[in-house]
Amino acid sequence: RIVEITKGLEHPWGMAFLPDGRVLITERPGRLRLVENGRLVPQPISGLPNIIAQGQSGLLDVALHPHFAENQLVYIAYTSARSRGISTDVARGKLSGNRLEGVEVLFRGNQGTTTGRNYGWPVITYGVNYGIGTSIGIGTHQEGMEQPLYYWDPSIAPSGMTFYTGNQFPSWRGNLFVGALRGQILVRLSLEGKDVIAEERLLENQVGRIRDVRQGPDGFLYLLTDARNGALLRLEPAASK
């Protein structure tokens, strides 16, 4: 079953669970929000760097330092304006009350492959141009470029992914969950090693475009819906109260 925790989020993108039970949520227009005791705190967190939000760009993901309890460091991914266009940046700052302090940019760059294996984009892909459906690159295969382990054609517009390791859904432990925008579904993938051996589609057309999926510290699955009035949802077993 689906439980609505809060709504009123403008195109939420990513979330991170704080040790004290609060939840950090990014909104694509450039706001970092807090959910406390199931309530969206009205005032966004201040101190963020300059963020440019247009189209699908803006404030994207958020993550905590592994030792957040000791250092209170929060990492954010976002887009900023540069002389040659838009750049995707990563920055971090210390969460102090309702403000990020000492924000520093750690990474600033454009898309591309410099080392390791070449996964093809934008030369080969199974996808098409967003919104208009035209072809990208030369096709789906080229020597020296890696193939995906799994893909959807037509695309479900996957967005957000997490491995489930909790105890609330014992039969799903070890499964991979993927949110979908175009498909408006939550996909559950069963794996054997690197191979996907089964796919189940959940919540089809029930909650809207699923932007992110994360496992909470309580072992439930949490979803963000991508909408002007987006929501934070919790997926529970039907018997939970």
Side-chain angles (χ1 to χ4, degrees), residues 37-227:
N37 297 321
R39 184 181 68 89
L40 182 62
V41 176
Q43 185 66 30
I45 289 174
S46 61
L48 273 64
N50 291 328
I51 297 169
I52 182 169
Q54 59 183 44
Q56 292 297 305
S57 64
L59 181 55
L60 308 175
D61 211 353
V62 59
L64 304 183
H65 190 282
H67 302 296
F68 174 85
E70 290 78 41
N71 58 31
Q72 290 79 53
L73 288 176
V74 174
Y75 294 76
I76 55 172
Y78 61 97
T79 52
S80 66
R82 301 183 69 184
S83 59
R84 296 185 179 180
I86 295 177
S87 170
T88 301
D89 302 346
V90 174
R92 73 176 182 182
K94 184 176 181 179
L95 183 63
S96 178
N98 206 46
R99 179 176 176 80
L100 276 188
E101 297 182 343
V103 173
E104 57 177 338
V105 177
L106 304 177
F107 172 83
R108 179 169 285 153
N110 296 313
Q111 191 172 24
T113 300
T114 56
T115 61
R117 295 180 177 179
N118 188 334
Y119 289 90
W121 177 264
V123 179
I124 62 170
T125 178
Y126 288 87
V128 294
N129 276 306
Y130 184 79
I132 56 177
T134 55
S135 298
I136 300 172
I138 63 170
T140 59
H141 293 73
Q142 180 163 295
E143 187 177 353
M145 295 184 177
E146 300 293 316
Q147 284 293 301
L149 297 176
Y150 195 74
Y151 65 92
W152 292 270
D153 188 12
S155 175
I156 61 171
S159 180
M161 179 173 67
T162 193
F163 280 101
Y164 185 73
T165 61
N167 297 318
Q168 299 290 353
F169 304 94
S171 62
W172 289 355
R173 199 174 296 125
N175 290 175
L176 183 63
F177 286 83
V178 182
L181 299 171
R182 181 182 177 188
Q184 298 189 23
I185 52 176
L186 179 65
V187 176
R188 181 175 69 88
L189 299 178
S190 300
L191 307 174
E192 280 189 0
K194 293 182 178 180
D195 297 326
V196 176
I197 59 172
E199 174 184 319
E200 181 182 12
R201 299 191 173 196
L202 308 168
L203 308 178
E204 188 165 6
N205 296 320
Q206 293 184 39
V207 299
R209 291 160 52 91
I210 298 176
R211 171 62 72 181
D212 197 18
V213 52
R214 303 281 176 99
Q215 178 182 313
D218 54 8
F220 294 117
L221 286 169
Y222 288 79
L223 314 175
L224 289 175
T225 60
D226 181 33

